[in-house]
Amino acid sequence: MTALEFTYHIGKVSKSLRPFALRLTKDVEDANDLLQDTLLKAFTNRDKYTDGTNLKAWLYTIMKNTFITNYQRMVRKNTFIDTTDNLHYINSTESSTDNMAYSSFAQEDINRAVNGLDDTYRTPFMMHFRGFKYHEIAAKLDIPIGTVKNRIHIARKELKDQLKVYAHYNA
C-alpha cells in the first residue's frame, strides 16, 4: 500500500476514532490530543501495517495502548516516592498523639451511665466486666445463671442507648 493510499484509508477511518477517544479521556481537548498521537504513530509505523489487516482495529489498538501508556505516565508522575532513610516513621504511631480531652469526656460519660444503672443490673454487669464468669456471679449473688445473663444483657442495652453518641467512633 502506498503512502497516499494509506493516508486515504486512515482519513476515512479516523472519523470513527474520535468518539472512542472521547470515551477514553472524557475531555474534548485530551481526546483530540489522543487522536493526533494515534494518527502520528500510525503514520510513523505504517511499514508495520500489512495489507489485509483490519485498519480500523489496528488504529483502535494503537489508540488504546497510547491512552494506557499516557495514563500510566501521568500516575507515575503524580506518585510521591519518599527516598529518605527514615521510612520506618511513615506508619509509626510513636509520633501520633490522641486527644486526651475527648477520651476524658468519654470516660466521664461512661462512668455516669454505669453509675446511673439500677443496682440489680449494675452489680452483675460490673462483676462480669471485671472478669467474673456467669456461674461465679450467680453463686456470689445467689441468683440463677439465666437471671445473671439477662441482667447483663439489659445493662449492656441501656448503656448502648445512653452512649449511642459514641457509636460512630468505633465503627
Side-chain angles (χ1 to χ4, degrees):
M1 180 182 297
T2 65
L4 190 59
E5 291 173 328
F6 188 76
T7 304
Y8 173 74
H9 288 300
I10 283 188
K12 282 179 28 181
V13 175
S14 67
K15 290 177 185 70
S16 66
L17 290 173
R18 188 174 308 280
F20 183 60
L22 268 169
R23 202 169 335 128
L24 289 173
T25 61
K26 299 181 181 21
D27 181 65
V28 175
E29 294 300 317
D30 290 340
N32 288 336
D33 291 343
L34 180 60
L35 181 62
Q36 186 175 9
D37 288 346
T38 301
L39 295 177
L40 179 66
K41 286 182 181 181
F43 281 118
T44 56
N45 294 301
R46 79 170 183 261
D47 57 317
K48 295 178 183 162
Y49 176 76
T50 55
D51 282 335
T53 305
N54 185 348
L55 180 64
K56 194 174 186 180
W58 189 65
L59 290 171
Y60 273 87
T61 303
I62 292 172
M63 181 175 281
K64 180 186 64 134
N65 291 341
T66 303
F67 173 75
I68 290 170
T69 302
N70 290 343
Y71 179 78
Q72 288 172 339
R73 190 175 295 138
M74 181 191 65
V75 168
R76 238 180 293 138
K77 186 178 85 175
N78 292 334
T79 302
F80 173 74
I81 299 172
D82 187 2
T83 57
T84 60
D85 293 334
N86 62 351
L87 294 178
H88 62 277
Y89 287 118
I90 290 176
N91 293 322
S92 175
T93 57
E94 292 174 16
S95 62
S96 67
T97 59
D98 290 330
N99 185 345
M100 293 304 180
Y102 169 76
S103 60
S104 174
F105 287 130
Q107 188 62 50
E108 288 173 14
D109 288 346
I110 292 169
N111 289 339
R112 193 174 312 117
V114 169
N115 290 334
L117 289 173
D118 190 73
D119 277 342
T120 56
Y121 302 116
R122 183 178 53 233
T123 303
F125 175 79
M126 289 308 296
M127 289 177 75
H128 182 67
F129 178 75
R130 290 188 183 113
F132 286 91
K133 306 288 182 215
Y134 290 131
H135 64 85
E136 294 171 332
I137 298 169
K140 183 91 168 159
L141 298 178
D142 195 31
I143 54 176
I145 195 166
T147 305
V148 170
K149 290 179 180 181
N150 185 42
R151 289 180 182 177
I152 291 172
H153 171 75
I154 291 171
R156 284 180 177 163
K157 190 175 175 187
E158 284 188 29
L159 290 173
K160 185 178 175 183
D161 288 342
Q162 291 178 24
L163 299 170
K164 64 184 165 200
V165 70
Y166 296 106
H168 71 282
Y169 292 107
N170 294 332

